[in-house]
Amino acid sequence: MRRNQVAVVGAAETTELGVIPNMSQIQLHADAALNAIADAGLKLSDIDGIATAVETPQQIAHYLGIKPTWVDGTSVGGCSFMLHVRHAAAAIEAGLCKTVLITHAESGKSMIGKLPRSTPPDSLNGQFESPFGVFGPPSMFPIPVLRYMKTYGITHEQIAMVAVVQREWAAKNPRATMKAPITVEDVLNSKMIAYPFRILQCCLVTDGGGALILTSAGRAKDFPQKPVYILGTGESVETPMVSQMETFNSSRAFTTAGPLAFKEAGIAHKDVDHLMIYDAFAHLPLFGLGDLGFMPHEETGRFIAEGNTRPGGKLPLNTNGGGLSYMHSGMYGMYALQESVRQMRGIAPAQVKDARISVCHGVGGMFAASGTIIFTNEK
Amino acid sequence: MAEPARAKPKPTPETQHFWDGTAAGELRLQRCDACANVYFPPRPFCPSCASRKVSVFKASGKARLYSYVINHRPAAPGFTPPYAIAVVELDEGPRMMSNIIDCPQTPEALELDMKLEVAFEKLDDKITLPQFRPAKG
């Protein structure tokens, strides 16, 4: 894809985030979508492309009264929205549609109008993982951690620092769910969930949603908000079974999607002013820093522990507080994208001064899928 | 009321040989006749070279502990926490999820790379699960 041909011209989250007991999942989609449409100064009838995950595009299109000529229902977990951005950018460039709405919402806490996730006993996961006691992401996603720690000499204290630093960012964000400062000791003494991870190393469970509107860069300058251009994109999938990853020392989906996006963007790592790495659990920023090529994996734990990603550090990471402290409705990728857009617009609560390039990296499932979007505010 | 049972696999035509194997006290893997790739989970073709000429064989049952979590909460039905959910690397190459039995479920006892051997836990007449325990000797 060519650089900077498509821009985000509308971006918004649901009016409320956190616990939203008075709204069903589909209404959370609509709330985010209507906020994004207002942000872009558009009417519903201007939207001719729609993408969403978990809920079907037909459900969201009909509920909102949209008549699309381009549809994407890619649903690969929490990074689905990164893939939607990539697909929408290609579709807009190809002339398949002009103005795309991407929505995410999940009644992750209140569970209103949300289909339960289930694993059929005759699926491969149902035969070769479920019988061994996996029960939800906390019992699966951290399975690679001990191997990763042994291979690269990463310590429990270093991984605990991921949560500490992200709480520092969250403290600057009025919409963050958890703002009270925490220490490494707090993390390592918090309730055990699935050794080696404790509750402060696991994502929040909340309600909320977000939506993006994309159009061609040529039209973008006529919109009320500062355009945020799509500089580079990448995507991949590996396996729906965490036990079947090629290695626990790396994510193949990450090492495919990330470098694709950097190559397309034509940037070096030193050009990155702001970074989001989807943190469903505290090890993901370490995998991301290594797999995206910011540094060797051996250095990731020390890099974070030494404060390089905290407010004022040289590589601001997960500046909204992340899935650990900002919010996590189940598919967090949309909120990472929203924070990248805010940083590129210059309106983030914890704004990185003069940030021009933002890398936003998502994961889906338990390292099952990945999408990377690189944004810029300079054309 | 009976305790809730652990999730039970339901074989498919492509995986039946594996579950027949565990019921017979064998851990069965597949090897590609064309490129010799050994792979898991079961499927009637080689995921490396796409050949449909593949053979089922009895694996050694020897493995090492690749990684794990010790799950505390929430516990899956049929499990009493804390219990380890492990990924073992078989001597033949493939990895699989399993549990480590006859071993304290603690970080001290569960040492990465420790040698393991397969054991079989019968759930009913149709399904026997492969489990692993510390290798003897």
Side-chain angles (χ1 to χ4, degrees):
Chain A
M1 232 158 33
R2 293 181 301 152
R3 294 167 202 154
N4 296 343
Q5 299 302 302
V6 172
V8 175
V9 294
E13 295 171 347
T14 43
T15 310
E16 304 289 330
L17 288 179
V19 183
I20 312 174
N22 60 339
M23 240 183 245
S24 68
Q25 183 158 296
I26 192 173
Q27 181 56 31
L28 290 169
H29 275 263
D31 183 51
L34 294 172
N35 285 344
I37 286 166
D39 181 65
L42 289 173
K43 302 186 296 292
L44 271 168
S45 56
D46 296 321
I47 305 296
D48 62 354
I50 182 139
T52 194
V54 183
E55 295 286 352
T56 60
Q58 58 267 41
Q59 179 76 270
I60 303 304
H62 182 256
Y63 193 68
L64 281 167
I66 288 168
K67 297 166 188 161
T69 60
W70 177 85
V71 172
D72 182 10
T74 301
S75 195
V76 294
C79 65
S80 299
F81 318 101
M82 282 80 174
L83 276 67
H84 294 157
V85 167
R86 187 172 202 242
H87 302 171
I92 290 165
E93 257 217 278
L96 303 182
C97 52
K98 286 192 170 69
T99 311
V100 172
L101 169 69
I102 302 169
T103 72
H104 156 73
E106 209 158 352
S107 183
K109 177 80 172 173
S110 302
M111 305 288 282
I112 304 167
K114 176 182 159 74
L115 289 172
R117 294 184 189 181
S118 69
T119 305
D122 51 358
S123 65
L124 289 174
N125 290 67
Q127 293 182 71
F128 299 111
E129 290 198 342
S130 301
F132 305 107
V134 297
F135 200 62
S139 66
M140 288 186 272
F141 221 151
I143 288 177
V145 172
L146 291 176
R147 172 57 53 182
Y148 185 88
M149 290 172 72
K150 179 169 179 176
T151 300
Y152 298 119
I154 307 286
T155 67
H156 292 281
E157 289 75 14
Q158 287 172 340
I159 302 186
M161 267 301 278
V162 172
V164 172
V165 168
Q166 290 191 200
R167 190 60 65 83
E168 292 175 8
W169 285 110
K172 296 172 172 290
N173 191 333
R175 271 164 71 89
T177 304
M178 304 294 277
K179 298 189 209 46
I182 52 173
T183 64
V184 166
E185 202 172 39
D186 292 334
V187 176
L188 295 179
N189 287 323
S190 65
K191 191 165 66 178
M192 185 67 84
I193 298 296
Y195 176 85
F197 276 3
R198 294 166 184 272
I199 197 161
L200 290 174
Q201 292 164 303
C202 303
C203 63
L204 305 166
V205 180
T206 55
D207 303 325
L212 294 169
I213 295 171
L214 275 65
T215 194
S216 64
R219 294 176 67 210
K221 61 183 183 305
D222 300 328
F223 283 76
Q225 307 293 349
K226 181 176 180 177
V228 177
Y229 301 100
I230 294 160
L231 185 59
T233 63
E235 67 185 284
S236 192
V237 294
E238 184 178 356
T239 168
M241 301 170 75
V242 67
S243 63
Q244 298 305 312
M245 290 173 68
E246 268 183 14
T247 170
F248 285 174
N249 296 325
S250 172
S251 158
R252 196 188 75 197
F254 283 18
T255 58
T256 305
L260 264 177
F262 273 84
K263 189 176 175 202
E264 189 173 284
I267 61 162
H269 292 84
K270 64 173 170 46
D271 300 326
V272 176
D273 302 308
H274 171 251
L275 177 60
M276 298 297 289
I277 299 175
Y278 187 140
D279 57 321
F281 293 89
H283 57 317
L284 290 169
L286 279 68
F287 274 75
L289 286 171
D291 283 341
L292 266 57
F294 282 93
M295 64 202 66
H297 283 286
E298 288 84 349
E299 293 173 20
T300 55
R302 196 181 63 215
F303 186 80
I304 288 174
E306 287 176 353
N308 291 299
T309 61
R310 69 170 22 142
K314 63 182 172 194
L315 185 58
L317 169 66
N318 292 343
T319 51
N320 59 353
L324 298 180
S325 287
Y326 180 60
M327 79 89 66
H328 194 293
S329 53
M331 298 173 77
Y332 167 82
M334 174 58 81
Y335 308 97
L337 290 165
Q338 294 285 337
E339 175 66 7
S340 280
V341 170
R342 285 191 293 264
Q343 289 285 349
M344 291 296 91
R345 285 180 174 182
I347 58 162
Q351 181 63 40
V352 175
K353 195 167 176 290
D354 300 328
R356 289 174 304 173
I357 291 178
S358 173
V359 172
C360 191
H361 179 73
V363 67
M366 320 302 144
F367 291 113
S370 185
T372 312
I373 304 296
I374 303 180
F375 295 102
T376 184
N377 49 22
E378 290 185 338
K379 193 166 176 330
Chain B
M1 210 174 100
E3 290 289 308
R6 70 198 275 167
K8 196 182 291 180
K10 185 177 171 190
T12 62
E14 298 82 20
T15 65
Q16 188 64 54
H17 69 269
F18 179 87
W19 297 112
D20 288 346
T22 53
E26 290 186 3
L27 186 67
R28 292 178 184 166
L29 292 173
Q30 287 169 303
R31 182 186 288 118
C32 175
D33 295 343
C35 76
N37 176 43
V38 178
Y39 62 89
F40 178 85
R43 71 207 86 164
F45 61 90
C46 172
S48 180
C49 77
S51 169
R52 290 174 187 262
K53 290 183 178 155
V54 298
S55 303
V56 174
F57 70 99
K58 180 186 169 184
S60 67
K62 292 178 181 166
R64 67 181 180 113
L65 182 55
Y66 186 57
S67 201
Y68 65 91
V69 293
I70 302 172
N71 200 41
H72 286 244
R73 61 175 66 81
F79 284 80
T80 305
Y83 62 93
I85 305 167
V87 172
V88 306
E89 186 166 284
L90 303 172
D91 275 12
E92 290 81 3
R95 296 192 198 112
M96 58 191 297
M97 190 175 279
S98 192
N99 304 111
I100 310 300
I101 61 171
D102 300 339
C103 180
Q105 306 290 288
T106 62
E108 294 73 29
L110 294 162
E111 237 182 288
L112 289 199
D113 299 312
M114 68 193 282
K115 288 184 175 170
L116 303 168
E117 62 188 22
V118 74
F120 296 98
E121 183 177 340
K122 185 175 176 177
L123 296 188
D124 62 23
D125 286 346
K126 286 180 180 164
I127 295 295
T128 295
L129 292 180
Q131 303 275 273
F132 286 80
R133 64 183 165 219
K136 293 189 185 82

